[in-house]
Amino acid sequence: MKHNFLIRPIFFLTVLLNMLCTGQLLAQKKTNIILLFADDAGYHDFGFQGSKTFPTPHLDKLASEGMIMREAYTTAAVCGPSRAGLLTGMYQQRFGFEENNVPGYMSTSSNKIGDEMGLPVHLKTIADYLEPLGYQSIILGKWHMGNADKYHPLGRGFDEFYGFRGGARSFFPLSQKEAFDRPADRMERGFGNFQEPDKYLTDALADEACDFMDRNKNKPFFMYVSFNAVHAPLHATKEDLEKVKGLTGKRKMLAAMTIAMDRACGQILGKLKELGLDENTLVVFANDNGGPDGTLTCNYPLSGCKSNHLEGGIRVPCIVKLPKVIKAGTVYQQPVSMLDMLPTFVNAAGGNAAEIQGLDGVDLIPYLTGENNSVPHEVLFWKKENRGVVRQGDWKMLRFPDRPAELYNIAEDISESNNLAYEYPDKVREMYKLLFEWEGTLERPLWQLKRVYEVNAMKRMDEKRTPVLDN
């Protein structure tokens, strides 16, 4: 009897320890998630996209280890709305985030202006959905979802924040005057702890990312590395400029900024491997909208640029890597959307995105692995002001306020040089109706840009119709 009394506690203790260890192992097996997100990068300005003048060896290596998305789209041609769609998995027009939230550019008729323009607080973000699944989440870099305290990342599901609340800032430490004049540009650690980096910002973000992984290597994490590179201002270090060959002027500066971002990605991915986490981490690299101007950045072979809905404004470079699930060195040719990141991440984390109401994105993994042989999206939409776009299969129709609609077959005419609207009026009518019906589900914009910026966007579209190759 005494012997049995001794055995029972030992037995139960052993069972308890096994359960705890099993739970720990299950936690360790949860897939980590890293989103490397560039800002205003050109579609062609990466080695894995064909560039010969923008060296990106680390991202090229990531592409060789993962899958390249040839038809990845953002939900807007400017960064604020596109990031709102990314973070919520919903078309941002559904909740009135249609225009870029840049203080000082708004019409006086807007419902919200200045720091009050932000992601409505009732909406959940990717980090909100990952939190109950046991994930530690951080955003590094650009937030741009509202400058007011109520929009702060630490109130939107993220556990940590090292970045700035606004949409663009210097890559070098701000002076006291700059910080006073543009408070949303200040680098902030956590909430209200403003501290400028002691080095080039892209490098500082990489350091912080590596530190976060070190501190969280034994628990599942979501890391949103929201680079402000290569958005203006054009700032590069002397050392990176010396690495650029065959370019001058602004293109040289942009290439140097890209070198720094590629190095930062390489540092992060290297740390992931050093910690032994690379085989259990979903890594996505993408961009928030098309490259601006069309001559500063290179969007070849696409026409158009940031702020318009030609392919160069909304199609972006994208890589997805998930070892043992997604075949390395492959290419996916069907249209995907940044709306798909939320459901993909939630399901990868062990959640069930199908239970989330109102999502417009889909879990991409079954499509990328071939488990689902259909296409992720039969139809995709874009809208800003009176401009609207619908892509249905290979067909793309663009509606404008100042001219007749345009129709293109993207599979046969990636540069959108052959307008087929007059040859296929019935197709235009069909797609126009699809767009109109979708618009009936949307909210009115919470704020609106001054009309001159919409006029300027149309002018840039007309000026950047012809793709220009800069190898």
Side-chain angles (χ1 to χ4, degrees):
M1 289 291 293
K2 290 181 180 179
H3 181 67
N4 289 339
F5 279 120
L6 287 173
I7 289 175
R8 285 179 182 178
I10 294 172
F11 172 76
F12 286 119
L13 181 60
T14 303
V15 171
L16 179 61
L17 288 172
N18 284 335
M19 290 173 65
L20 289 173
C21 290
T22 301
Q24 185 179 17
L25 287 172
L26 287 174
Q28 290 174 348
K29 288 180 181 179
K30 274 184 174 273
T31 303
N32 302 307
I33 302 166
I34 297 178
L35 174 59
L36 304 169
F37 211 53
D39 194 352
D40 273 14
Y43 184 76
H44 189 264
D45 285 337
F46 299 90
F48 69 91
Q49 292 288 90
S51 178
K52 305 299 183 187
T53 55
F54 277 50
T56 55
H58 300 292
L59 288 171
D60 297 350
K61 184 173 186 291
L62 178 65
S64 71
E65 296 171 345
M67 179 180 283
I68 298 174
M69 311 285 105
R70 286 294 182 217
E71 299 192 28
Y73 288 100
T74 61
T75 60
V78 290
C79 49
S82 77
R83 289 164 188 263
L86 164 78
L87 284 170
T88 62
M90 301 166 58
Y91 283 112
Q92 64 278 359
Q93 296 92 343
R94 293 197 188 281
F95 45 86
F97 202 138
E98 183 172 309
E99 302 278 9
N100 218 356
N101 54 327
V102 183
Y105 287 72
M106 298 302 117
S107 165
T108 54
S109 63
S110 295
N111 296 333
K112 295 179 180 290
I113 57 175
D115 291 348
E116 290 301 309
M117 299 181 296
L119 185 67
V121 295
H122 70 279
L123 296 170
K124 289 187 175 182
T125 70
I126 294 171
D128 282 312
Y129 290 112
L130 294 180
E131 184 177 19
L133 299 174
Y135 278 68
Q136 191 79 6
S137 297
I138 188 173
I139 171 173
L140 296 160
K142 174 173 174 173
W143 176 233
H144 204 21
M145 291 292 96
N147 299 340
D149 288 349
K150 64 183 178 182
Y151 301 124
H152 196 277
L154 296 191
R156 312 310 297 268
F158 290 95
D159 300 292
E160 298 186 36
F161 173 51
Y162 178 68
F164 58 100
R165 301 189 192 188
R169 61 152 280 154
S170 171
F171 288 78
F172 298 107
L174 299 181
S175 67
Q176 286 187 335
K177 183 179 185 308
E178 288 171 327
F180 179 82
D181 290 342
R182 297 176 62 97
D185 292 359
R186 297 174 296 175
M187 289 298 291
E188 183 178 12
R189 186 182 299 280
F191 179 81
N193 181 15
F194 297 101
Q195 178 186 357
E196 287 298 300
D198 59 1
K199 60 177 62 175
Y200 187 72
L201 183 52
T202 305
D203 293 327
L205 295 179
D207 289 346
E208 293 288 335
C210 292
D211 176 69
F212 175 80
M213 288 188 288
D214 252 334
R215 291 185 284 107
N216 293 279
K217 57 180 175 289
N218 293 322
K219 62 183 76 169
F221 60 79
F222 166 50
M223 191 163 64
Y224 174 27
V225 187
S226 180
F227 292 109
N228 56 321
V230 293
H231 193 292
L234 300 183
H235 290 166
T237 66
K238 179 182 177 182
E239 293 78 11
D240 286 334
L241 283 168
E242 290 174 349
K243 298 173 185 175
V244 179
K245 308 299 180 185
L247 294 174
T248 59
K250 292 182 177 179
R251 283 289 286 171
K252 180 175 182 176
M253 186 71 74
L254 197 69
M257 295 170 73
T258 304
I259 286 171
M261 181 173 64
D262 179 74
R263 178 176 63 245
C265 291
Q267 181 181 338
I268 292 167
L269 296 171
K271 185 66 174 181
L272 192 69
K273 186 175 182 64
E274 175 191 319
L275 295 172
L277 302 175
D278 56 320
E279 291 296 305
N280 190 42
T281 301
L282 169 60
V283 179
V284 176
F285 173 81
N287 188 40
D288 62 350
N289 49 247
D293 183 53
T295 52
L296 172 62
T297 56
C298 180
N299 293 324
Y300 188 85
L302 313 176
S303 60
C305 59
K306 176 181 179 178
S307 83
N308 64 66
H309 294 129
L310 296 171
E311 291 290 285
I314 55 176
R315 191 190 289 205
V316 295
C318 183
I319 304 167
V320 179
K321 177 188 174 184
L322 183 56
K324 300 177 183 177
V325 177
I326 295 175
K327 187 176 179 181
T330 53
V331 176
Y332 190 69
Q333 299 283 5
Q334 298 297 334
V336 302
S337 171
M338 291 302 111
L339 295 169
D340 302 327
M341 295 301 109
L342 188 151
T344 301
F345 293 172
V346 168
N347 285 358
N352 185 1
E355 295 178 352
I356 302 174
Q357 298 295 316
L359 292 185
D360 293 304
V362 300
D363 178 6
L364 288 177
I365 300 301
Y367 299 95
L368 305 187
T369 59
E371 179 184 343
N372 189 329
N373 291 320
S374 62
V375 297
H377 298 278
E378 294 287 347
V379 182
L380 287 170
F381 298 100
W382 293 264
K383 178 186 179 296
K384 187 174 183 293
E385 296 281 351
N386 292 321
R387 290 182 284 151
V389 180
V390 56
R391 175 163 175 177
Q392 182 186 39
D394 293 334
W395 292 99
K396 178 182 175 184
M397 189 272 290
L398 300 93
R399 184 196 65 201
F400 305 105
D402 65 340
R403 67 195 72 182
E406 298 177 6
L407 179 70
Y408 299 98
N409 186 308
I410 298 300
E412 299 176 359
D413 181 21
I414 192 174
S415 299
E416 296 169 287
S417 58
N418 184 22
N419 180 12
L420 300 172
Y422 295 103
E423 292 184 43
Y424 299 95
D426 290 343
K427 190 65 180 177
V428 172
R429 190 177 300 110
E430 173 193 341
M431 298 181 75
Y432 204 105
K433 184 178 180 182
L434 281 174
L435 180 59
F436 180 77
E437 290 173 348
W438 173 72
E439 287 177 316
T441 68
L442 310 179
E443 295 293 333
R444 292 190 179 279
L446 293 172
W447 53 86
Q448 290 181 301
L449 289 172
K450 295 175 182 177
R451 183 60 56 191
V452 63
Y453 298 110
E454 183 69 5
V455 173
N456 289 342
M458 296 295 293
K459 287 181 178 178
R460 279 195 296 276
M461 182 189 74
D462 290 336
E463 292 169 356
K464 308 302 176 185
R465 285 278 186 169
T466 304
V468 177
L469 175 63
D470 178 7
N471 270 322

